[in-house]
Amino acid sequence: MNPERVFKVLLGPHMTEKAAIAAENNQYVFKVASDATKPEIKKAVEALFGKKVAAVQVLNIKGKVKRTARGEGRRSGYRKAYVTLAAGETLEDFTGNE
């Protein structure tokens, strides 16, 4: 995989309470590019962190419709990926023990 593509596929970690619970089960959540595929996400995580990936699940999150004084508007949507690492692998950056 092209080294520049790694940083275009993975946009950053997605840290929420649900993501913290998933991290306890060796599953980590990332915001990813809208055109990223599962094999690209897998290669990007393996290249960036040097860990073995077992599975990737991808979700499209639609933006919410919000009303303001000027009318209705829409927040932009995004795509996120749940990356499950192989048994025995962990990402130290995602543990909340800081």
Side-chain angles (χ1 to χ4, degrees):
M1 174 179 266
N2 188 356
E4 292 145 13
R5 181 67 179 155
V6 170
F7 294 106
K8 291 184 179 178
V9 169
L10 294 178
L11 301 179
H14 185 73
M15 291 308 299
T16 60
E17 288 183 39
K18 186 175 180 180
I21 293 168
E24 294 174 1
N25 297 324
N26 215 20
Q27 202 171 36
Y28 302 94
V29 187
F30 295 94
K31 280 191 179 180
V32 295
S34 60
D35 62 342
T37 62
K38 287 182 180 184
E40 279 184 329
I41 295 167
K42 180 178 179 177
K43 288 178 186 176
V45 170
E46 288 176 348
L48 195 61
F49 296 104
K51 305 292 183 177
K52 181 78 173 133
V53 175
V56 177
Q57 295 174 316
V58 180
L59 291 95
N60 291 319
I61 307 299
K62 293 186 178 183
K64 293 182 179 181
V65 175
K66 292 292 183 177
R67 290 194 326 211
T68 64
R70 294 183 180 90
E72 283 191 348
R74 180 177 275 285
R75 290 185 183 170
S76 60
Y78 58 95
R79 190 168 190 183
K80 67 180 178 178
Y82 284 85
V83 177
T84 305
L85 297 182
E89 301 274 1
T90 59
L91 292 179
E92 292 78 23
D93 300 337
F94 284 81
T95 57
N97 303 339
E98 296 176 7

